[in-house]
Amino acid sequence: MFKNTYQSGLLSILYSLGSSPLALWAQHVQNGHIKRITDPEIQSLVLEIVGANVATTYISCPKDPQETLGIKLPFLVIICKNLRKYFSFEITILDDKGSRRRFRASNYQSATRVKPFICTMPMRLDENWNQIQFNLSDFTRRAYGSFYVETLKIQVHCNCRLRRIYFSDRLFSEERLPADYKLFIPVSGQKS
């Protein structure tokens, strides 16, 4: 999808305020839903993915399973809300040895396991909104002793609310991020 695209800075693949946030994504729903709602905490549209089973309700990008993303940017950032239920996401990458490797992070696993083609790891989420930063180069090197080449696919499983998913060439400080990449939580006025 993005293999022949110049990649630098920030590359967004999901933005909940966009006119068609799931244009690049396939939806898989069984005993759940994927819909755009207004989150009361941030008072803005978000994408809610909720299901009874984390394995059967998810979104995946690219939409066509025969395609690959071809994203070379090494940092993945997911802005999501913790719904206090099981949640996971999975990234498939290509390394410099030509191997496809998967990384799965979940809030229901307690130990990291590295197998030849999948690395599963625990993820701790704070209450409410989180910014998950995933250094694909570092994880590939530490888990497999190889170098990250590109991201082929990403899946986000229920249960969460998503604001944005993007890749970047480096981690940006809050001050250097464009306004629409930040999450603003309105401060409610207090009456005295």
Side-chain angles (χ1 to χ4, degrees):
M1 283 181 74
F2 296 99
K3 196 171 197 75
N4 297 321
T5 305
Y6 175 72
Q7 299 176 26
S8 162
L10 302 164
L11 176 60
S12 182
I13 59 170
L14 186 147
Y15 183 42
S16 64
L17 295 179
S19 60
S20 189
L22 291 172
L24 305 175
W25 297 78
Q27 301 175 52
H28 309 271
V29 181
Q30 188 177 322
N31 295 327
H33 67 260
I34 298 170
K35 62 184 177 182
R36 216 163 30 169
I37 64 162
T38 299
D39 182 81
E41 186 181 0
I42 61 170
Q43 299 171 12
S44 184
L45 288 174
V46 296
L47 191 69
E48 182 176 74
I49 306 171
V50 174
N53 184 335
V54 75
T56 58
T57 301
Y58 61 93
I59 58 174
S60 60
C61 186
K63 188 180 277 190
D64 180 349
Q66 302 306 313
E67 283 190 52
T68 61
L69 284 170
I71 296 175
K72 297 184 181 324
L73 303 174
F75 292 96
L76 169 67
V77 180
I78 302 174
I79 300 173
C80 68
K81 185 172 189 174
N82 181 0
L83 298 180
R84 289 187 237 136
K85 296 179 180 178
Y86 286 165
F87 163 65
S88 72
F89 66 91
E90 187 174 295
I91 306 110
T92 305
I93 64 105
L94 181 69
D95 69 11
D96 67 330
K97 295 177 182 173
S99 295
R100 289 174 178 242
R101 314 279 192 181
R102 286 185 302 156
F103 294 99
R104 182 184 304 136
S106 63
N107 65 356
Y108 51 85
Q109 194 164 340
S110 57
T112 298
R113 291 185 186 88
V114 179
K115 295 182 180 173
F117 300 105
I118 186 166
C119 174
T120 57
M121 62 198 80
M123 167 179 57
R124 189 188 68 74
L125 294 173
D126 293 332
E127 287 292 311
N128 296 315
W129 286 94
N130 291 263
Q131 183 181 52
I132 301 168
Q133 298 175 337
F134 202 88
N135 183 335
L136 295 160
S137 290
D138 186 53
F139 278 107
T140 305
R141 185 181 45 76
R142 290 188 356 207
Y144 296 107
S146 58
F147 295 98
Y148 168 79
V149 173
E150 67 184 32
T151 298
L152 303 173
K153 181 179 181 177
I154 180 170
Q155 287 184 348
V156 180
H157 293 256
C158 62
N159 292 283
C160 67
R161 289 183 181 165
L162 297 171
R163 173 61 170 209
R164 187 184 285 274
I165 299 175
Y166 66 93
F167 289 84
S168 63
D169 56 5
R170 62 189 177 281
L171 290 178
F172 288 84
S173 65
E174 192 72 16
E175 303 80 46
R176 296 186 86 83
L177 268 178
D180 60 338
Y181 280 76
K182 297 178 188 178
L183 184 70
F184 293 104
I185 300 177
V187 178
S188 56
Q190 294 181 330
K191 295 180 181 174
S192 29

